[in-house]
Amino acid sequence: MMHTEITPTKSKVLPPEQKQTIFGWTKKNLFNSWFNIILTFVSLFIIFIVLKGTLTWVVTNADWEVIRANYRLFMVGQFSEEEIWRVWSALLYLTLLFGLSAGIWKGTIRQLSFLLTAIYVIHLALPFLSGHTKIWLLSNIVTLFASYVIGLKLPKGKMIGIGGWLFSIIVILFFLQGFGILPSVQTSMWNGLLLTVILSAVAIVGSFPIGILLALGRTSKLPIIKYFCIAYIEFIRGIPLITVFFSMQILIPLFLPEGFTVANIIRVMIGATLFTAAYMAENVRGGLQSIPKGQFEAAKTIGLSSIQSTFLIILPQALRAVIPAIVGQSISMFKDTSLVAIVGLVDLLGIAQTVKSNPAFLGHHMEVYLFVALVYWVIAYAMSYSSRRLEETLGVGKR
Amino acid sequence: MEQVMPKEMPEKEIIRCHNVNKWFGKLHVLKDVNLSIKKGEVLVILGPSGSGKSTFIRTINGLEDIQQGDIVIDEITLSHDIKHIEAIRKETGMVFQQFNLFPHMTILKNITLAPIWVRKKPKKEAEKEALELLERVGIPEQANKYPGQLSGGQQQRVAIARALAMQPEIMLFDEPTSALDPEMIKEVLDVMKELAKSGMTMLVVTHEMGFAREVADRIVLFDNGEIVETGTPEALFDNPQHDRTKLFLSQIL
């Protein structure tokens, strides 16, 4: 057999060395024509005005007492003082998972763990937090590092890591809700960032498999399945999220036997999940359509059944192609949770409304909104950053 | 491979097509095609583009369904029953013009996928066989790369290895060299020649006249959905009977 190997021939000629000085770069990129020179100066002027105004306000005019005094409220709302260890324990479990996964998979999850560490360290440096809180923060940091080291060495790490994540929702809900073993904390007491994060996590994680099934159903050859999926997707996409929240308040009790109630938070979770699933389905369908027909044919000709070819060949490629859309949908869901205020749940933005109408802090709504925006931004940016990283890592087999 | 046997011995017809008719909408693309292929035979299908030769080869493993006629592969009649189609697909391997490797998997995974999931082979055994196949097609060192990192010729050789991994009785080639740069055509044809020598039953749709003359046991000329002429390479190239054949050969040679 012939070996016609394409080996890259080592080129002995190096590219011409390019010395890039700061001066050279500015000249090339900012001052290379009269028009650009004017544009540069105008832009600099605008940036200067905006920055100066903002920074002066942040440093001198703003009174951050409103954030300091209500910090606990923003984070966990009315979760009672005696039971707060449960929120910390749930967080500690998450920290443990992040550390382990950082050790096992490295890459994106390790960078997210850095971010988590940075957030803990910043909080540790905040002067107004109690000693009790700082002990918890410190133990989170220690846990993160310890579990990272363990994760690096753990045999069968991936299995344990995936198991840990699958288990995480149950563990976290156990700590927060108690399941009758720990004293119950009413779900109406779950407010602030805690509620925002739980709601969006449930909606995103829950909508993903439902969305995939809907997308596959929409391409199905069986008319009943196909038209059910189309009807569902098109109906949900045609109504606003608020309507879904409202109708869940009314509809879910109708389906339940008398004397049986479902907590408001559960109804909202179901509504948000079903709503996001319709959008996820359309994203996934976009991915399915991007797969060339030849892939289906090749899968058939080597003898794979249609279920095998869907899960081994088509979905892995389709999902990879639509990571940006899926993450975009997740970010948008995360921010849309702020609508739950309408049905009486108090999320991060809801707390902001409460705090700014507290007579003691009247007139400080700017500080409150800026702070809330910052919290939303950090989390949303972490999501979009990891999506970009994930695309790069998975780009290996790209055609 | 097991089926190394002398070419004269088997007389069994492994593919029988009887009065095959197919329409795309109102377009009659296959008209009363009758063709039988013996085990171990290498059949090359020639014809101008749009003559129905690719469509015909794709009906053999059920990628295209037919509206009239019968196709019997190794005593299994091709029908709408998915069980029959799946049984036939396990007997036949196919190589496409566009390679159609799975871009998200390494070369090794591409080849071991079907043996592991369809034939239920242990992973170790499937990988061992895959490496032997890569050796056979001349690129064992590429096992852990992704398809996108390989040249077209290498990808097509991997596609052949992937089809062979299911130990098929029949190999179908649908213009396997048409998407390749000229300098890569030879490496793929060499693999196909070796396969033909080993006694594999092969149906090859191609425009490579040199390959047809050298390797084919029999050549079929398709035009306008019909078989115009059938014969040995010598008979067809040197002494064509039909005007259509003469015209086709004069245009292509």
Side-chain angles (χ1 to χ4, degrees):
Chain A
M1 184 63 24
M2 288 256 307
H3 279 254
T4 30
E5 196 41 55
I6 315 279
T7 42
T9 42
K10 291 256 158 53
S11 73
K12 291 282 187 295
V13 188
L14 292 168
E17 215 166 303
Q18 284 187 325
K19 274 196 183 156
Q20 185 83 293
T21 59
I22 294 177
F23 181 73
W25 184 89
T26 356
K27 200 177 169 200
K28 189 177 162 198
N29 293 290
L30 298 177
F31 300 104
N32 56 350
S33 74
W34 274 111
F35 179 68
N36 275 1
I37 290 173
I38 294 168
L39 212 58
T40 303
F41 279 115
V42 171
S43 313
L44 279 178
F45 183 67
I46 295 173
I47 293 171
F48 174 74
I49 299 269
V50 171
L51 270 187
K52 184 170 173 271
T54 318
L55 285 179
T56 319
W57 183 82
V58 166
V59 177
T60 58
N61 298 20
D63 182 3
W64 296 103
E65 172 64 19
V66 58
I67 307 298
R68 204 187 68 80
N70 296 301
Y71 204 78
R72 208 187 114 87
L73 217 50
F74 279 116
M75 293 299 125
V76 293
Q78 307 170 67
F79 218 95
S80 65
E81 191 85 56
E82 311 87 72
E83 302 292 343
I84 198 74
W85 65 272
R86 287 156 60 169
V87 180
W88 280 114
S89 307
L91 187 63
L92 201 65
Y93 180 76
L94 270 185
T95 307
L96 179 82
L97 278 182
F98 266 99
L100 276 180
S101 313
I104 296 164
W105 284 285
K106 308 187 177 65
T108 315
I109 192 86
R110 190 160 63 177
Q111 299 209 328
L112 285 179
S113 301
F114 279 136
L115 177 72
L116 202 60
T117 319
I119 292 173
Y120 289 149
V121 170
I122 291 171
H123 278 81
L124 210 52
L126 290 177
F128 55 82
L129 294 179
S130 70
H132 190 68
T133 308
K134 294 203 167 162
I135 291 172
W136 275 109
L137 280 169
L138 211 58
S139 41
N140 266 301
I141 297 173
V142 172
T143 308
L144 193 68
F145 277 97
S147 54
Y148 174 64
V149 174
I150 294 171
L152 283 175
K153 307 238 164 87
L154 203 61
K156 291 198 176 166
K158 288 186 183 177
M159 294 278 283
I160 296 172
I162 292 171
W165 283 108
L166 286 179
F167 218 52
S168 63
I169 289 190
I170 298 173
V171 173
I172 289 167
L173 285 182
F174 165 72
F175 276 124
L176 296 183
Q177 213 280 332
F179 292 165
I181 299 166
L182 298 171
S184 148
V185 178
Q186 278 194 329
T187 48
S188 59
M189 299 294 155
W190 306 11
N191 320 125
L193 183 62
L194 176 69
L195 179 69
T196 299
V197 168
I198 289 178
L199 272 185
S200 29
V202 168
I204 292 163
V205 173
S207 66
F208 192 58
I210 302 177
I212 290 176
L213 288 181
L214 282 171
L216 291 174
R218 192 167 182 169
T219 55
S220 165
K221 283 192 186 110
L222 299 172
I224 295 184
I225 295 177
K226 182 177 174 175
Y227 289 108
F228 171 78
C229 291
I230 292 180
Y232 178 85
I233 292 168
E234 295 305 336
F235 175 69
I236 294 287
R237 294 202 321 151
I239 55 177
L241 180 56
I242 297 181
T243 340
V244 176
F245 284 154
F246 273 131
S247 40
M248 284 296 151
Q249 302 294 311
I250 301 157
L251 279 180
I252 290 186
L254 289 183
F255 291 116
L256 290 173
E258 203 140 333
F260 216 82
T261 52
V262 170
N264 201 354
I265 189 171
I266 305 282
R267 292 182 228 170
V268 166
M269 280 175 180
I270 295 174
T273 306
L274 294 182
F275 181 80
T276 313
Y279 287 87
M280 285 289 182
E282 284 300 276
N283 290 336
V284 174
R285 187 169 72 102
L288 292 177
Q289 282 174 340
S290 74
I291 308 300
K293 200 170 152 236
Q295 293 288 310
F296 292 86
E297 291 182 349
K300 275 187 203 166
T301 53
I302 58 170
L304 296 181
S305 70
S306 57
I307 292 178
Q308 284 171 336
S309 73
T310 302
F311 284 95
L312 295 170
I313 310 296
I314 308 305
L315 269 185
Q317 293 184 64
L319 293 182
R320 207 165 290 204
V322 292
I323 290 173
I326 289 175
V327 175
Q329 189 56 49
S330 306
I331 291 174
S332 141
M333 187 63 234
F334 167 66
K335 293 185 294 183
D336 283 350
T337 51
S338 53
L339 290 172
V340 297
I342 303 228
V343 288
L345 291 181
V346 191
D347 72 323
L348 182 57
L349 196 67
I351 291 283
Q353 303 284 17
T354 326
V355 167
K356 86 174 168 61
S357 43
N358 180 343
F361 302 107
L362 273 185
H364 288 298
H365 54 274
M366 276 286 275
E367 288 88 339
V368 170
Y369 284 136
L370 201 66
F371 172 72
V372 167
L374 179 75
V375 175
Y376 273 112
W377 180 80
V378 167
I379 297 177
Y381 185 74
M383 280 155 92
S384 86
Y385 177 79
S386 12
S387 124
R388 258 180 293 139
R389 286 271 315 185
L390 206 61
E391 280 169 60
E392 281 166 30
T393 339
L394 291 178
V396 191
K398 273 256 150 82
R399 57 186 77 235
Chain B
M1 298 302 287
E2 286 92 313
Q3 54 270 70
V4 185
M5 46 179 80
K7 281 200 170 177
E8 302 79 57
M9 191 194 82
E11 280 299 315
K12 192 180 133 207
E13 285 174 343
I14 195 165
I15 302 176
R16 284 200 307 272
C17 302
H18 180 66
N19 283 345
V20 171
N21 276 283
K22 178 174 177 62
W23 287 262
F24 281 130
K26 284 192 173 155
L27 191 68
H28 201 174
V29 285
L30 293 177
K31 299 169 188 165
D32 285 334
V33 176
N34 287 293
L35 193 64
S36 292
I37 294 142
K38 294 193 200 76
K39 199 170 165 60
E41 192 175 18
V42 177
L43 183 92
V44 168
I45 304 175
L46 300 177
S49 51
S51 60
K53 55 191 193 308
S54 277
T55 309
F56 173 67
I57 201 173
R58 287 159 59 87
T59 61
I60 305 274
N61 64 353
L63 281 185
E64 304 281 355
D65 54 357
I66 57 172
Q67 278 94 38
Q68 269 175 29
D70 302 302
I71 297 177
V72 183
I73 313 284
D74 210 8
E75 307 307 323
I76 310 167
T77 307
L78 191 59
S79 66
H80 288 292
D81 188 346
I82 189 74
K83 285 246 166 62
H84 286 183
I85 298 179
E86 278 178 7
I88 283 172
R89 282 181 185 151
K90 283 179 194 169
E91 302 270 318
T92 55
M94 186 163 203
V95 177
F96 300 87
Q97 185 177 351
Q98 298 297 341
F99 329 134
N100 293 346
L101 295 179
F102 306 129
H104 61 301
M105 295 177 173
T106 61
I107 300 306
L108 196 64
K109 279 229 165 124
N110 262 279
I111 300 175
T112 55
L113 188 73
I116 290 173
W117 287 90
V118 183
R119 293 258 191 252
K120 311 284 178 212
K121 275 193 186 159
K123 195 172 167 218
K124 283 261 160 61
E125 194 187 326
E127 284 181 352
K128 190 172 152 278
E129 288 174 6
L131 286 172
E132 286 167 12
L133 282 168
L134 281 176
E135 191 84 44
R136 190 171 166 194
V137 300
I139 39 174
E141 69 285 352
Q142 311 287 1
N144 292 312
K145 289 194 182 160
Y146 285 88
Q149 297 167 299
L150 268 57
S151 73
Q154 291 172 331
Q155 289 193 50
Q156 194 61 300
R157 287 189 276 163
V158 172
I160 295 173
R162 180 177 69 180
L164 289 176
M166 286 295 283
Q167 297 172 339
E169 296 286 319
I170 303 161
M171 284 286 284
L172 308 172
F173 291 84
D174 187 6
E175 303 203 25
T177 56
S178 297
L180 293 176
D181 291 339
E183 72 266 30
M184 288 166 187
I185 291 178
K186 186 176 177 304
E187 63 189 55
V188 172
L189 292 182
D190 283 343
V191 172
M192 289 168 63
K193 280 177 200 165
E194 188 264 344
L195 200 58
K197 279 198 201 99
S198 76
M200 175 67 76
T201 312
M202 288 164 65
L203 252 75
V204 187
V205 171
T206 187
H207 295 291
E208 293 297 324
M209 295 302 144
F211 175 83
R213 190 184 270 274
E214 188 184 340
V215 183
D217 295 314
R218 196 150 53 106
I219 294 182
V220 169
L221 184 86
F222 257 78
D223 186 40
N224 204 14
E226 290 174 301
I227 293 178
V228 176
E229 188 167 349
T230 310
T232 61
E234 296 77 29
L236 203 105
F237 281 120
D238 304 332
N239 187 20
Q241 300 298 310
H242 289 263
D243 291 343
R244 187 66 193 91
T245 316
K246 286 175 194 159
L247 179 69
F248 175 73
L249 291 174
S250 72
Q251 279 165 342
I252 210 157
L253 290 176

